[in-house]
Amino acid sequence: MGRVTVRRPVRRISATGDRRRPDALAAEEPLELRVGGKALAVTMRTPGNDVELAHGFLLSEGVIGGREDIAVARYCDGVDDQGRNTYNVLDIALADGVPPPDVGVERNFYTTSSCGVCGKAALEAVKLKTRFSPADAPFAVKSETLATLPDALRAQQKVFASTGGLHAAALFTPDGGLDVVREDVGRHNAVDKVLGWAVMENRIPAPGHGLLVSGRASFELVQKAAMAGIGLLAAVSAPSSLAVELAEENGMTLIGFLRGESMNLYTGDHRVLT
């Protein structure tokens, strides 16, 4: 799996004994995103699908609206102490006529792997207005189809299976098919990678897809879905109060505690067919 996992020795104590063995850990490295050579954000992520992550991040921040808004993405010469390229600095060149990011998009210092909006330079920039209204999404799905999704997602979480330390996100269709699955140490990074895939496949806006996440539904994940025109977000764990408020404000369907045949519908239950 390359740089997505790291092998480390571990002492394991259990009811069956005390022994030492190698253990697989999820890799976590910084990625500096630049736009036009200017540093925009640093996020702690699992290496891999970095170009997707950048596309998804810029979409969810309102900088771009589609694939045509980015001219080129390239790694810069970030090197380690042995002079090898770390592939941890990615520079994005916007297409002609696309305005640079507003100052409110800039992060102070860095974004942690657990928080997608921490360190915003301007608090008023947290609540972004989407150019693709999720309220208009015609997406609808049967409750029995939703019930199959967590297991389908887990089956494709290859790195989680070996490390137990990654979040996952997926775009799914009304019949329960998973069009794309991405893993990352950060919830918001996994979603950005999924949305970035959709950008690069020219599938934004994505009113015909639902977004599935392996953890909780936080404010920033609802916001990211809204910025992609996605009308339904389903989470395996709990939503926050602000996530529910934002979903309701945007005419979205928000599902929490999706486990087996049970789930909580917090907003927009008209998209869930029973």
Side-chain angles (χ1 to χ4, degrees):
M1 297 181 184
R3 295 169 62 213
V4 299
T5 60
V6 177
R7 303 287 287 182
R8 298 283 295 182
V10 62
R11 180 184 175 190
R12 179 171 175 80
I13 301 175
S14 68
T16 59
D18 183 340
R19 62 192 180 97
R20 296 183 182 274
R21 63 179 179 83
D23 191 34
L25 304 177
E28 183 176 30
E29 296 182 14
L31 176 68
E32 179 181 330
L33 294 179
R34 299 177 182 175
V35 174
K38 180 182 178 181
L40 181 68
V42 176
T43 186
M44 302 302 296
R45 97 309 188 188
T46 300
N49 306 110
D50 292 335
V51 176
E52 290 178 351
L53 192 160
H55 280 68
F57 176 82
L58 294 177
L59 172 75
S60 62
E61 293 292 340
V63 178
I64 66 171
R67 182 178 62 182
E68 68 280 359
D69 289 341
I70 290 182
V72 66
R74 62 182 180 182
Y75 285 102
C76 301
D77 296 329
V79 297
D80 60 17
D81 54 6
Q82 298 181 7
R84 296 173 298 191
N85 195 322
T86 61
Y87 297 98
N88 285 338
V89 183
L90 188 67
D91 191 18
I92 303 294
L94 299 177
D96 292 342
V98 178
D102 182 79
V103 65
V105 177
E106 295 178 1
R107 298 297 200 266
N108 291 330
F109 303 110
Y110 68 95
T111 301
T112 71
S113 58
S114 62
C115 178
V117 296
C118 298
K120 279 275 192 176
L123 289 178
E124 62 270 19
V126 170
K127 201 170 188 179
L128 301 174
K129 181 173 177 60
T130 177
R131 62 183 83 182
F132 310 117
S133 174
D136 301 329
F139 187 89
V141 61
K142 294 180 179 178
S143 58
E144 55 263 36
T145 300
L146 286 167
T148 68
L149 294 179
D151 286 344
L153 180 64
R154 178 63 65 87
Q156 294 196 40
Q157 291 180 249
K158 297 180 180 179
V159 184
F160 178 87
S162 63
T163 66
L166 290 181
H167 297 279
L171 288 180
F172 65 93
T173 57
D175 62 1
L178 302 183
D179 278 358
V180 59
V181 174
R182 293 290 182 264
E183 296 179 277
D184 200 277
V185 289
R187 292 189 309 273
H188 67 285
N189 287 337
V191 171
D192 280 342
K193 289 178 178 181
V194 162
L195 297 185
W197 172 88
V199 172
M200 296 175 71
E201 291 292 320
N202 209 23
R203 299 193 186 189
I204 295 295
H209 284 88
L211 176 63
L212 174 67
V213 295
S214 62
R216 65 185 180 90
S218 57
F219 168 88
E220 69 265 26
L221 299 192
V222 174
Q223 178 174 282
K224 288 177 184 295
M227 296 298 283
I230 295 172
L232 185 148
L233 170 61
V236 172
S237 191
S240 68
S241 62
L242 195 57
V244 174
E245 291 176 19
L246 186 64
E248 186 171 49
E249 180 180 315
N250 281 279
M252 296 171 62
T253 298
L254 181 59
I255 301 168
F257 295 105
L258 177 58
R259 300 170 184 176
E261 296 181 356
S262 67
M263 63 198 75
N264 288 352
L265 308 182
Y266 292 91
T267 63
D269 61 357
H270 63 283
R271 291 192 178 92
V272 179
L273 310 177
T274 56

